[in-house]
Amino acid sequence: MPKLTLVLDRKPVQVYELEQPVIRIGRGESMDVLIDNVSVSRRHAEIREENGAWLLRDLGSSNGTFLNGQRVTAEQTLRPGDEISFGKFSILFERALSDPVTAEAPPAPASRLAAESGGTLHLGPAEVERLQKASAMRRQAQLQWEAGGQHGTFYLEGAGALVGRTDLCDLRVPAGPRQHVLVLRGPSGFEVRSLARFRRMRVGGQVAVRATLKSGDTIEIGGLRLTFMDEVR
């Protein structure tokens, strides 16, 4: 039986192995892969086994079914690694990605657990919304910080952020000068400015008072280490 990896916004959500020769995907209650989202039709697509091969066909969906980026207009044979897309969602056929995302959430209600135990994958509207929010946060520009033996992630919102130890700072860290650095968003991206008088700032290993940031750059000053990760568009 095929192994399916559900993907949302280019992030793997979960890997499933469904033990049946016909797998129907859609928003309707009778579907085997039930995704309760307006971008998915009630009866969207079907994967079925025939003479040892797995075939994909669209079930007359509103937004269409795509195989490796091409709209499915007739029945298509699936191969390992194929990507089936519909709306914001994709399913990778017989391909398990490493580190599938398991978003933190309260326990599923009994009705959903019962549905899954019967062979149905049910992704409800609340779970879709939660996964979309989690994906958006992962795509947002961020500072991963280390200071005083502690670490964390700070998401950059608005015009930028002041980093340091005082109450005035957007990102408060446990060690270093009172006000370390200022990270600003400009029309062409982010830049960092040093506010420390007696401590040198290094960006990517080079001493700087002001520097344009690119994804993966490290900023080091006075016992603080920041790693800048740019937003994913």
Side-chain angles (χ1 to χ4, degrees), residues 17-111:
E17 294 186 47
L18 301 181
E19 299 294 329
Q20 62 245 41
V22 179
I23 301 166
R24 294 170 300 166
I25 304 162
R27 191 160 44 91
E29 290 294 332
S30 63
M31 298 295 101
D32 302 300
V33 177
L34 196 166
I35 302 176
D36 196 349
N37 185 265
V38 293
S39 67
V40 180
S41 296
R42 288 187 167 276
R43 300 178 70 256
H44 201 107
E46 178 183 273
I47 300 171
R48 63 183 174 85
E49 184 182 22
E50 186 175 296
N51 299 323
W54 287 92
L55 307 175
L56 168 70
R57 71 184 179 103
D58 182 76
L59 297 178
S61 65
S62 299
N63 295 325
T65 301
F66 295 80
L67 178 62
N68 300 324
Q70 300 296 316
R71 186 160 188 158
V72 174
T73 57
E75 202 167 65
Q76 299 287 323
T77 301
L78 292 172
R79 296 174 177 81
D82 278 350
E83 180 175 359
I84 307 162
S85 304
F86 33 90
K88 296 182 179 180
F89 301 87
S90 295
I91 284 180
L92 303 186
F93 178 78
E94 287 191 2
R95 180 184 177 189
L97 298 185
S98 60
D99 299 327
V101 175
T102 54
E104 297 178 0
S111 59

Coordinates of all heavy atoms in Angstrom, one line a residue, residues 17-111:
E17 N 0.1 5.7 6.0 CA 0.1 4.5 5.2 C -1.4 4.0 5.3 O -1.8 3.5 6.3 CB 1.0 3.5 5.7 CG 2.5 3.9 5.5 CD 3.5 2.8 5.8 OE1 3.3 1.6 5.4 OE2 4.4 3.1 6.6
L18 N -2.2 4.2 4.2 CA -3.6 3.8 4.2 C -3.7 2.5 3.5 O -3.3 2.2 2.4 CB -4.4 4.9 3.5 CG -4.3 6.3 4.1 CD1 -5.1 7.3 3.3 CD2 -4.7 6.3 5.5
E19 N -4.3 1.5 4.3 CA -4.4 0.1 3.8 C -5.7 -0.2 3.0 O -6.5 -0.9 3.5 CB -4.3 -0.8 5.1 CG -3.1 -0.6 5.9 CD -1.8 -1.1 5.1 OE1 -1.9 -2.0 4.3 OE2 -0.7 -0.5 5.4
Q20 N -5.8 0.4 1.9 CA -6.9 0.1 1.0 C -6.5 0.4 -0.4 O -5.7 1.2 -0.7 CB -8.2 1.0 1.4 CG -8.0 2.5 1.3 CD -8.1 3.2 2.6 OE1 -7.5 2.7 3.6 NE2 -8.7 4.3 2.6
P21 N -7.2 -0.3 -1.4 CA -6.8 -0.1 -2.8 C -7.3 1.1 -3.4 O -6.9 1.5 -4.5 CB -7.4 -1.4 -3.4 CG -8.6 -1.7 -2.5 CD -8.2 -1.4 -1.2
V22 N -8.3 1.8 -2.8 CA -8.8 3.1 -3.4 C -8.8 4.1 -2.3 O -9.3 3.9 -1.1 CB -10.3 2.9 -3.9 CG1 -10.8 4.2 -4.4 CG2 -10.4 1.8 -5.0
I23 N -8.2 5.2 -2.6 CA -8.0 6.3 -1.6 C -8.6 7.6 -2.2 O -8.1 8.1 -3.2 CB -6.5 6.6 -1.2 CG1 -5.9 5.3 -0.6 CG2 -6.4 7.8 -0.3 CD1 -4.4 5.4 -0.6
R24 N -9.7 8.0 -1.6 CA -10.4 9.2 -2.1 C -10.1 10.4 -1.2 O -10.1 10.3 0.0 CB -11.9 9.0 -2.2 CG -12.3 7.9 -3.2 CD -13.8 7.5 -3.0 NE -14.0 7.0 -1.6 CZ -15.2 6.9 -1.1 NH1 -16.3 7.2 -1.8 NH2 -15.4 6.4 0.1
I25 N -9.8 11.5 -1.9 CA -9.4 12.8 -1.2 C -10.4 13.8 -1.5 O -10.9 14.1 -2.6 CB -8.0 13.2 -1.8 CG1 -7.0 12.1 -1.6 CG2 -7.6 14.5 -1.1 CD1 -5.8 12.3 -2.5
G26 N -10.8 14.5 -0.4 CA -11.8 15.6 -0.6 C -12.3 16.2 0.7 O -11.7 15.9 1.8
R27 N -13.3 17.0 0.7 CA -13.9 17.7 1.8 C -15.1 17.0 2.4 O -15.6 17.3 3.5 CB -14.2 19.1 1.5 CG -14.6 20.0 2.6 CD -14.4 21.5 2.2 NE -14.9 21.8 0.9 CZ -16.2 22.2 0.7 NH1 -17.0 22.4 1.7 NH2 -16.5 22.5 -0.6
G28 N -15.6 16.0 1.6 CA -16.8 15.3 2.0 C -16.6 14.3 3.1 O -15.5 13.7 3.2
E29 N -17.6 14.0 3.9 CA -17.4 13.1 5.1 C -17.1 11.7 4.7 O -16.5 10.9 5.5 CB -18.7 13.1 5.9 CG -19.0 14.4 6.6 CD -18.0 14.7 7.7 OE1 -17.4 13.7 8.3 OE2 -17.8 15.9 8.0
S30 N -17.4 11.3 3.5 CA -17.1 9.9 3.1 C -15.7 9.7 2.5 O -15.4 8.6 2.1 CB -18.1 9.5 2.0 OG -18.0 10.3 0.8
M31 N -14.9 10.8 2.5 CA -13.6 10.6 1.9 C -12.6 9.9 2.8 O -12.7 10.0 4.0 CB -13.0 12.0 1.6 CG -13.8 12.8 0.5 SD -13.8 12.1 -1.1 CE -15.4 11.3 -1.2
D32 N -11.6 9.3 2.2 CA -10.6 8.6 3.0 C -9.5 9.6 3.6 O -9.0 9.4 4.7 CB -9.9 7.5 2.2 CG -10.8 6.5 1.6 OD1 -11.5 5.8 2.4 OD2 -11.0 6.4 0.4
V33 N -9.2 10.6 2.7 CA -8.3 11.7 3.2 C -9.3 12.9 3.2 O -9.6 13.5 2.1 CB -7.1 11.9 2.3 CG1 -6.3 13.1 2.7 CG2 -6.2 10.7 2.3
L34 N -9.7 13.3 4.4 CA -10.8 14.3 4.5 C -10.1 15.6 4.9 O -9.5 15.7 6.0 CB -11.8 13.9 5.5 CG -13.1 14.7 5.6 CD1 -14.1 13.9 6.4 CD2 -13.0 16.1 6.2
I35 N -10.1 16.6 4.1 CA -9.4 17.9 4.4 C -10.5 19.0 4.3 O -11.0 19.4 3.2 CB -8.3 18.3 3.4 CG1 -7.2 17.2 3.4 CG2 -7.7 19.6 3.7 CD1 -6.1 17.3 2.4
D36 N -10.9 19.5 5.5 CA -12.1 20.4 5.6 C -11.6 21.8 5.3 O -11.4 22.6 6.3 CB -12.7 20.2 6.9 CG -14.1 20.9 7.0 OD1 -14.5 21.6 6.0 OD2 -14.8 20.6 8.0
N37 N -11.4 22.1 4.1 CA -10.9 23.5 3.7 C -11.5 23.8 2.4 O -11.7 23.0 1.5 CB -9.4 23.5 3.6 CG -8.8 24.8 3.3 OD1 -8.6 25.2 2.1 ND2 -8.6 25.6 4.3
V38 N -11.9 25.1 2.2 CA -12.6 25.6 1.0 C -11.8 25.4 -0.3 O -12.4 25.4 -1.4 CB -13.0 27.1 1.2 CG1 -14.1 27.2 2.3 CG2 -11.8 28.0 1.4
S39 N -10.5 25.3 -0.2 CA -9.7 25.1 -1.4 C -9.8 23.7 -2.0 O -9.4 23.4 -3.1 CB -8.3 25.4 -1.2 OG -7.7 24.5 -0.3
V40 N -10.4 22.8 -1.2 CA -10.6 21.4 -1.5 C -12.0 21.1 -1.8 O -12.9 21.4 -1.0 CB -10.0 20.5 -0.4 CG1 -10.2 19.0 -0.8 CG2 -8.6 20.8 -0.1
S41 N -12.4 20.4 -2.9 CA -13.7 20.1 -3.2 C -14.2 18.9 -2.4 O -13.4 18.2 -1.8 CB -13.9 19.7 -4.7 OG -13.6 20.8 -5.5
R42 N -15.5 18.7 -2.3 CA -16.1 17.6 -1.6 C -15.5 16.3 -2.1 O -15.2 15.4 -1.3 CB -17.6 17.6 -1.6 CG -18.2 18.7 -0.8 CD -19.7 18.6 -0.7 NE -20.3 19.5 0.3 CZ -20.3 19.2 1.6 NH1 -19.9 18.0 2.0 NH2 -20.8 20.0 2.4
R43 N -15.5 16.1 -3.4 CA -14.9 14.9 -4.0 C -13.8 15.4 -4.9 O -14.1 15.9 -6.0 CB -16.0 14.1 -4.8 CG -17.1 13.6 -3.9 CD -18.1 12.8 -4.7 NE -17.6 11.5 -5.2 CZ -17.3 11.3 -6.4 NH1 -17.4 12.2 -7.4 NH2 -16.8 10.1 -6.8
H44 N -12.6 15.4 -4.5 CA -11.6 16.1 -5.2 C -10.7 15.2 -6.1 O -10.6 15.5 -7.3 CB -10.6 16.8 -4.2 CG -9.9 18.0 -4.9 ND1 -10.1 19.3 -4.6 CD2 -8.8 17.9 -5.8 CE1 -9.3 20.0 -5.3 NE2 -8.5 19.3 -6.0
A45 N -10.2 14.2 -5.6 CA -9.3 13.3 -6.4 C -9.4 11.9 -5.8 O -9.8 11.7 -4.7 CB -7.9 13.8 -6.4
E46 N -8.8 11.0 -6.6 CA -8.8 9.6 -6.2 C -7.5 8.9 -6.6 O -7.0 9.1 -7.7 CB -10.0 8.8 -6.9 CG -10.1 7.4 -6.6 CD -11.2 6.7 -7.3 OE1 -12.4 6.7 -6.8 OE2 -11.0 6.2 -8.5
I47 N -7.0 8.1 -5.7 CA -5.8 7.3 -6.0 C -6.3 5.8 -5.9 O -6.8 5.4 -4.9 CB -4.7 7.5 -5.0 CG1 -4.2 9.0 -5.1 CG2 -3.5 6.6 -5.3 CD1 -3.3 9.4 -4.0
R48 N -6.0 5.0 -6.9 CA -6.5 3.6 -6.8 C -5.4 2.7 -7.5 O -4.7 3.1 -8.3 CB -7.8 3.4 -7.5 CG -7.9 3.7 -9.0 CD -9.3 3.6 -9.5 NE -9.3 4.0 -10.9 CZ -9.0 3.2 -11.9 NH1 -8.7 1.9 -11.7 NH2 -9.1 3.6 -13.2
E49 N -5.5 1.4 -7.0 CA -4.6 0.4 -7.5 C -5.2 -0.4 -8.6 O -6.4 -0.7 -8.5 CB -4.2 -0.5 -6.4 CG -3.1 -1.6 -6.8 CD -2.8 -2.5 -5.7 OE1 -3.6 -2.7 -4.7 OE2 -1.7 -3.2 -5.7
E50 N -4.5 -0.6 -9.7 CA -5.0 -1.4 -10.8 C -3.9 -2.1 -11.5 O -3.0 -1.5 -12.0 CB -5.7 -0.4 -11.8 CG -6.5 -1.2 -12.9 CD -7.2 -0.2 -13.8 OE1 -8.2 0.4 -13.3 OE2 -6.9 -0.1 -15.0
N51 N -4.0 -3.5 -11.4 CA -3.0 -4.3 -12.1 C -1.6 -4.0 -11.6 O -0.6 -4.0 -12.4 CB -3.0 -4.2 -13.6 CG -4.4 -4.7 -14.1 OD1 -5.0 -5.6 -13.6 ND2 -4.8 -4.0 -15.2
G52 N -1.4 -3.8 -10.3 CA -0.1 -3.5 -9.7 C 0.4 -2.1 -9.8 O 1.5 -1.8 -9.3
A53 N -0.4 -1.2 -10.5 CA 0.0 0.2 -10.6 C -1.0 1.0 -9.8 O -2.1 0.7 -9.6 CB 0.0 0.6 -12.1
W54 N -0.5 2.2 -9.4 CA -1.3 3.2 -8.7 C -1.7 4.3 -9.7 O -0.8 4.9 -10.3 CB -0.7 3.7 -7.5 CG -0.6 2.7 -6.4 CD1 0.3 1.8 -6.2 CD2 -1.7 2.4 -5.5 NE1 0.0 1.0 -5.1 CE2 -1.2 1.4 -4.6 CE3 -2.9 3.0 -5.2 CZ2 -2.0 0.9 -3.6 CZ3 -3.7 2.5 -4.1 CH2 -3.2 1.4 -3.4
L55 N -3.0 4.7 -9.8 CA -3.4 5.6 -10.8 C -4.1 6.8 -10.0 O -4.7 6.6 -9.0 CB -4.4 5.0 -11.7 CG -4.0 3.7 -12.4 CD1 -5.1 3.2 -13.2 CD2 -2.8 4.0 -13.3
L56 N -4.0 8.0 -10.6 CA -4.5 9.2 -10.1 C -5.5 9.8 -11.1 O -5.3 9.9 -12.2 CB -3.4 10.3 -9.8 CG -3.9 11.7 -9.5 CD1 -4.6 11.7 -8.1 CD2 -2.7 12.7 -9.5
R57 N -6.7 10.2 -10.6 CA -7.6 10.9 -11.4 C -8.4 12.0 -10.6 O -8.6 11.9 -9.4 CB -8.7 10.0 -12.1 CG -9.7 9.4 -11.1 CD -10.5 8.4 -11.9 NE -11.5 7.7 -11.1 CZ -12.8 8.1 -11.1 NH1 -13.3 9.0 -11.9 NH2 -13.7 7.4 -10.3
D58 N -8.7 13.1 -11.3 CA -9.4 14.2 -10.7 C -10.9 13.8 -10.7 O -11.4 13.1 -11.7 CB -9.2 15.5 -11.5 CG -9.9 16.6 -10.9 OD1 -9.5 17.2 -9.8 OD2 -11.0 17.0 -11.4
L59 N -11.7 14.2 -9.7 CA -13.1 13.8 -9.6 C -14.0 15.0 -9.9 O -15.0 15.1 -9.3 CB -13.4 13.3 -8.2 CG -12.6 12.0 -7.7 CD1 -12.9 11.6 -6.3 CD2 -13.0 10.8 -8.7
G60 N -13.5 15.8 -10.8 CA -14.3 17.0 -11.2 C -14.3 18.1 -10.2 O -15.2 18.8 -10.0
S61 N -13.1 18.3 -9.6 CA -12.9 19.3 -8.6 C -13.0 20.7 -9.2 O -12.7 20.9 -10.4 CB -11.6 19.1 -7.9 OG -10.5 19.3 -8.8
S62 N -13.3 21.7 -8.3 CA -13.4 23.1 -8.8 C -12.0 23.7 -9.1 O -11.9 24.4 -10.1 CB -14.1 23.9 -7.7 OG -15.4 23.4 -7.5
N63 N -11.1 23.4 -8.2 CA -9.7 24.0 -8.4 C -8.7 23.2 -9.1 O -7.6 23.6 -9.4 CB -9.2 24.4 -7.0 CG -10.0 25.5 -6.4 OD1 -10.6 26.4 -7.0 ND2 -10.2 25.4 -5.0
G64 N -9.1 21.9 -9.4 CA -8.2 21.1 -10.2 C -7.3 20.3 -9.3 O -7.0 20.6 -8.2
T65 N -6.7 19.2 -9.9 CA -5.7 18.4 -9.2 C -4.5 18.5 -10.1 O -4.6 18.4 -11.4 CB -6.2 16.9 -9.1 OG1 -7.4 16.9 -8.3 CG2 -5.1 16.1 -8.5
F66 N -3.3 18.6 -9.5 CA -2.1 18.8 -10.3 C -1.1 17.7 -9.9 O -0.9 17.3 -8.7 CB -1.5 20.2 -10.0 CG -2.3 21.3 -10.5 CD1 -3.4 21.7 -9.7 CD2 -2.0 21.9 -11.7 CE1 -4.2 22.8 -10.2 CE2 -2.8 23.0 -12.1 CZ -3.9 23.4 -11.4
L67 N -0.4 17.1 -10.9 CA 0.6 16.1 -10.7 C 1.9 16.7 -11.2 O 2.1 17.0 -12.4 CB 0.3 14.9 -11.5 CG 1.3 13.7 -11.4 CD1 1.4 13.2 -10.0 CD2 0.9 12.6 -12.3
N68 N 2.8 16.9 -10.2 CA 4.2 17.5 -10.5 C 4.0 18.8 -11.2 O 4.8 19.1 -12.2 CB 5.0 16.5 -11.3 CG 5.3 15.2 -10.5 OD1 5.4 15.2 -9.3 ND2 5.3 14.1 -11.3
G69 N 3.0 19.6 -10.8 CA 2.8 20.9 -11.4 C 1.9 21.0 -12.6 O 1.6 22.1 -13.1
Q70 N 1.5 19.9 -13.2 CA 0.7 19.8 -14.4 C -0.7 19.4 -14.0 O -0.9 18.4 -13.3 CB 1.3 18.8 -15.4 CG 2.7 19.2 -15.9 CD 2.8 20.5 -16.6 OE1 1.9 20.8 -17.4 NE2 3.8 21.3 -16.3
R71 N -1.7 20.1 -14.5 CA -3.1 19.8 -14.2 C -3.5 18.5 -14.8 O -3.1 18.1 -15.9 CB -4.0 20.9 -14.8 CG -5.5 20.7 -14.3 CD -6.3 22.0 -14.4 NE -7.6 21.8 -13.9 CZ -8.3 22.8 -13.4 NH1 -7.9 24.1 -13.5 NH2 -9.5 22.6 -12.9
V72 N -4.2 17.7 -14.0 CA -4.6 16.3 -14.4 C -5.9 16.4 -15.2 O -6.9 16.9 -14.6 CB -4.8 15.4 -13.1 CG1 -5.3 14.1 -13.5 CG2 -3.4 15.3 -12.4
T73 N -5.8 16.1 -16.4 CA -7.0 16.1 -17.3 C -7.5 14.7 -17.6 O -8.6 14.5 -18.2 CB -6.7 16.9 -18.6 OG1 -5.6 16.3 -19.2 CG2 -6.4 18.3 -18.2
A74 N -6.6 13.7 -17.4 CA -6.9 12.3 -17.6 C -6.2 11.4 -16.6 O -5.4 12.0 -15.9 CB -6.5 11.9 -19.1
E75 N -6.6 10.2 -16.5 CA -6.0 9.3 -15.5 C -4.5 9.2 -15.7 O -4.0 9.1 -16.8 CB -6.6 7.9 -15.6 CG -6.5 7.1 -14.4 CD -7.4 5.9 -14.5 OE1 -7.2 5.0 -15.3 OE2 -8.3 5.8 -13.6
Q76 N -3.7 9.4 -14.6 CA -2.3 9.4 -14.6 C -1.7 8.3 -13.8 O -2.2 8.0 -12.7 CB -1.7 10.7 -14.2 CG -2.2 11.9 -15.0 CD -1.5 12.0 -16.3 OE1 -0.3 11.7 -16.5 NE2 -2.2 12.4 -17.3
T77 N -0.6 7.6 -14.2 CA 0.1 6.6 -13.4 C 1.0 7.3 -12.5 O 1.8 8.2 -12.9 CB 0.9 5.6 -14.3 OG1 0.0 5.0 -15.2 CG2 1.6 4.6 -13.5
L78 N 1.0 6.9 -11.2 CA 1.9 7.5 -10.2 C 3.2 6.7 -10.0 O 3.2 5.5 -10.1 CB 1.1 7.5 -8.8 CG -0.1 8.5 -8.7 CD1 -0.8 8.2 -7.4 CD2 0.4 9.9 -8.9
R79 N 4.2 7.5 -9.8 CA 5.5 6.9 -9.5 C 6.1 7.4 -8.2 O 5.7 8.5 -7.7 CB 6.5 7.3 -10.6 CG 6.1 6.7 -12.0 CD 7.0 7.2 -13.1 NE 6.6 6.6 -14.4 CZ 5.6 7.0 -15.1 NH1 4.9 8.0 -14.8 NH2 5.4 6.3 -16.3
P80 N 7.0 6.7 -7.5 CA 7.5 7.1 -6.3 C 8.1 8.5 -6.4 O 8.9 8.8 -7.3 CB 8.6 6.1 -5.9 CG 8.1 4.9 -6.6 CD 7.5 5.3 -7.9
G81 N 7.8 9.4 -5.5 CA 8.3 10.8 -5.5 C 7.4 11.8 -6.1 O 7.6 13.0 -6.1
D82 N 6.3 11.3 -6.8 CA 5.3 12.2 -7.4 C 4.6 13.1 -6.4 O 4.3 12.7 -5.3 CB 4.3 11.4 -8.2 CG 4.8 11.0 -9.6 OD1 5.8 11.5 -10.0 OD2 4.1 10.2 -10.2
E83 N 4.4 14.3 -6.8 CA 3.7 15.3 -5.9 C 2.3 15.6 -6.5 O 2.2 16.1 -7.6 CB 4.5 16.6 -5.8 CG 3.8 17.6 -4.9 CD 4.6 18.8 -4.6 OE1 5.8 18.9 -5.2 OE2 4.2 19.7 -3.9
I84 N 1.3 15.3 -5.7 CA -0.1 15.6 -6.1 C -0.5 16.8 -5.3 O -0.4 16.9 -4.1 CB -1.0 14.4 -5.7 CG1 -0.4 13.1 -6.3 CG2 -2.4 14.6 -6.1 CD1 -1.0 11.8 -5.6
S85 N -1.0 17.8 -6.0 CA -1.4 19.1 -5.4 C -2.8 19.5 -5.6 O -3.4 19.2 -6.7 CB -0.5 20.2 -5.9 OG 0.9 19.9 -5.7
F86 N -3.4 20.1 -4.6 CA -4.8 20.6 -4.7 C -4.9 21.8 -3.7 O -4.7 21.5 -2.5 CB -5.8 19.5 -4.5 CG -5.4 18.5 -3.5 CD1 -5.7 18.7 -2.1 CD2 -4.7 17.4 -3.9 CE1 -5.3 17.7 -1.2 CE2 -4.3 16.4 -2.9 CZ -4.6 16.6 -1.6
G87 N -5.2 23.0 -4.2 CA -5.2 24.1 -3.3 C -3.9 24.4 -2.7 O -2.9 24.4 -3.3
K88 N -3.9 24.6 -1.3 CA -2.7 24.8 -0.6 C -2.0 23.6 -0.2 O -0.9 23.6 0.5 CB -3.0 25.7 0.6 CG -3.5 27.1 0.3 CD -3.7 27.9 1.6 CE -4.2 29.3 1.3 NZ -4.5 30.0 2.6
F89 N -2.6 22.4 -0.5 CA -2.1 21.2 0.0 C -1.4 20.3 -1.1 O -1.8 20.4 -2.3 CB -3.3 20.4 0.6 CG -4.0 21.1 1.7 CD1 -5.0 22.0 1.4 CD2 -3.6 20.9 3.0 CE1 -5.6 22.6 2.5 CE2 -4.2 21.6 4.1 CZ -5.3 22.4 3.8
S90 N -0.5 19.5 -0.6 CA 0.1 18.5 -1.5 C 0.2 17.2 -0.8 O 0.3 17.1 0.4 CB 1.5 19.0 -2.0 OG 1.5 20.2 -2.7
I91 N 0.3 16.1 -1.6 CA 0.5 14.8 -1.1 C 1.7 14.2 -1.9 O 1.6 14.2 -3.1 CB -0.7 13.9 -1.2 CG1 -1.7 14.3 -0.1 CG2 -0.3 12.4 -1.0 CD1 -3.0 13.4 -0.1
L92 N 2.7 13.8 -1.2 CA 3.9 13.1 -1.9 C 3.6 11.6 -1.8 O 3.4 11.0 -0.8 CB 5.2 13.5 -1.2 CG 5.5 15.0 -1.1 CD1 6.9 15.2 -0.5 CD2 5.4 15.7 -2.5
F93 N 3.7 11.0 -3.0 CA 3.3 9.6 -3.1 C 4.5 8.7 -2.9 O 5.6 8.9 -3.5 CB 2.8 9.4 -4.5 CG 2.4 7.9 -4.8 CD1 1.3 7.4 -4.4 CD2 3.3 7.1 -5.6 CE1 0.9 6.1 -4.7 CE2 3.0 5.8 -5.9 CZ 1.8 5.3 -5.4
E94 N 4.4 7.8 -1.9 CA 5.4 6.8 -1.5 C 6.8 7.5 -1.3 O 7.8 7.1 -1.8 CB 5.6 5.8 -2.6 CG 4.5 4.8 -2.7 CD 4.8 3.6 -3.6 OE1 5.9 3.5 -4.1 OE2 3.9 2.7 -3.7
R95 N 6.7 8.6 -0.5 CA 7.9 9.3 -0.2 C 7.8 9.9 1.1 O 7.0 10.8 1.4 CB 8.2 10.4 -1.3 CG 9.4 11.2 -1.0 CD 9.5 12.3 -2.0 NE 10.7 13.2 -1.8 CZ 10.9 14.3 -2.4 NH1 10.0 14.7 -3.3 NH2 12.0 15.0 -2.2
A96 N 8.5 9.5 2.1 CA 8.5 10.0 3.5 C 9.6 11.0 3.7 O 10.8 10.7 3.5 CB 8.7 8.8 4.5
L97 N 9.2 12.3 4.0 CA 10.2 13.3 4.2 C 10.7 13.2 5.7 O 10.0 12.7 6.6 CB 9.5 14.7 4.1 CG 9.0 15.0 2.6 CD1 8.5 16.4 2.6 CD2 10.1 14.8 1.6
S98 N 11.9 13.6 5.9 CA 12.5 13.6 7.3 C 11.8 14.7 8.1 O 11.4 15.7 7.6 CB 14.0 13.8 7.2 OG 14.3 15.1 6.6
D99 N 11.7 14.4 9.4 CA 11.2 15.3 10.4 C 9.8 15.9 10.0 O 9.7 17.1 9.8 CB 12.2 16.5 10.6 CG 13.5 16.1 11.1 OD1 13.5 15.1 11.8 OD2 14.5 16.7 10.7
P100 N 8.8 15.0 9.9 CA 7.5 15.6 9.6 C 7.1 16.5 10.7 O 7.3 16.3 11.9 CB 6.6 14.4 9.5 CG 7.3 13.3 10.3 CD 8.8 13.6 10.0
V101 N 6.3 17.6 10.4 CA 5.9 18.6 11.3 C 4.8 18.0 12.2 O 3.8 17.5 11.6 CB 5.5 19.9 10.6 CG1 4.9 20.9 11.7 CG2 6.6 20.5 9.9
T102 N 4.9 18.1 13.5 CA 3.8 17.7 14.3 C 3.5 18.9 15.2 O 4.1 19.2 16.2 CB 4.2 16.5 15.2 OG1 5.4 16.8 15.9 CG2 4.4 15.2 14.4
A103 N 2.5 19.7 14.7 CA 2.2 20.9 15.4 C 1.6 20.6 16.8 O 0.9 19.7 17.0 CB 1.2 21.7 14.6
E104 N 2.0 21.5 17.8 CA 1.5 21.3 19.1 C 0.1 21.7 19.2 O -0.3 22.7 18.7 CB 2.3 22.2 20.1 CG 3.8 21.8 20.1 CD 4.6 22.7 21.0 OE1 4.0 23.6 21.6 OE2 5.8 22.5 21.1
A105 N -0.7 20.8 19.7 CA -2.2 21.0 19.8 C -2.8 20.2 20.9 O -2.2 19.2 21.3 CB -2.8 20.7 18.4
P106 N -4.0 20.6 21.4 CA -4.7 19.8 22.3 C -5.1 18.4 21.7 O -5.1 18.3 20.5 CB -5.9 20.6 22.7 CG -6.1 21.5 21.6 CD -4.7 21.8 21.0
P107 N -5.4 17.4 22.6 CA -5.7 16.1 22.0 C -6.9 16.2 21.1 O -7.8 17.0 21.3 CB -6.1 15.3 23.3 CG -5.3 16.0 24.4 CD -5.3 17.5 24.0
A108 N -6.9 15.3 20.1 CA -8.0 15.3 19.1 C -9.3 14.8 19.8 O -9.2 13.9 20.7 CB -7.7 14.4 17.9
P109 N -10.5 15.2 19.4 CA -11.7 14.7 20.0 C -11.9 13.3 19.6 O -11.4 12.8 18.6 CB -12.8 15.6 19.3 CG -12.2 16.2 18.1 CD -10.7 16.3 18.4
A110 N -12.7 12.6 20.4 CA -12.9 11.2 20.2 C -13.5 10.8 18.8 O -13.1 9.8 18.2 CB -13.9 10.6 21.2
S111 N -14.3 11.7 18.3 CA -14.9 11.4 16.9 C -13.8 11.4 15.9 O -13.8 10.5 15.0 CB -15.9 12.5 16.6 OG -15.3 13.7 16.6

